[in-house]
Amino acid sequence: MVDVEFELIIIKSLFSNDLVRRKVVPLLDEKWFNNDMNASKIVEKIIEFNTRYETMPTVTDMRRMINDSDELALFDKAI
């Protein structure tokens, strides 16, 4: 079984650490999260939002975009 903690730490850091966010978001790739489909979908939403609006989504934005209950549970766990 793969440890998802690494993925959760990255997701949390994107929302809580501005320095990490500025350095990581331009390079972010959902393929880094292939070990967990829900984490990959979360990151895909972050990338899509950032591409469209040229800014990081807020936690509230993310909660609005996430429709799957397992995905939302993982997001809440990360945050």
Side-chain angles (χ1 to χ4, degrees), residues 13 71 77:
S13 296
E71 193 177 330
K77 182 178 178 185

Side-chain angles (χ1 to χ4, degrees), residues 3 10-11 20 23-24 32 34 42 46 50 59 62 64 67 70 73 76:
D3 187 6
I10 292 176
I11 292 169
V20 170
K23 290 185 177 192
V24 173
W32 297 350
N34 281 346
I42 290 167
I46 293 169
N50 187 62
V59 171
M62 287 301 296
R64 288 181 184 145
N67 298 319
D70 291 336
D76 287 339

Side-chain angles (χ1 to χ4, degrees), residues 22-63:
R22 285 186 276 130
K23 290 185 177 192
V24 173
V25 169
L27 306 172
L28 198 57
D29 188 336
E30 66 266 7
K31 292 176 188 168
W32 297 350
F33 301 83
N34 281 346
N35 296 327
D36 185 284
M37 186 56 81
N38 289 322
S40 180
K41 289 177 184 178
I42 290 167
V43 171
E44 184 178 339
K45 286 175 175 57
I46 293 169
I47 293 169
E48 288 173 7
F49 190 96
N50 187 62
T51 301
R52 185 172 190 177
Y53 299 107
E54 297 180 3
T55 189
M56 180 76 180
T58 65
V59 171
T60 303
D61 292 329
M62 287 301 296
R63 287 198 173 110

Side-chain angles (χ1 to χ4, degrees), residues 5-21:
E5 292 304 311
F6 176 73
E7 288 89 347
L8 296 179
I9 291 169
I10 292 176
I11 292 169
K12 180 177 183 68
S13 296
L14 291 173
F15 287 92
S16 63
N17 187 319
D18 188 53
L19 180 62
V20 170
R21 179 175 39 251

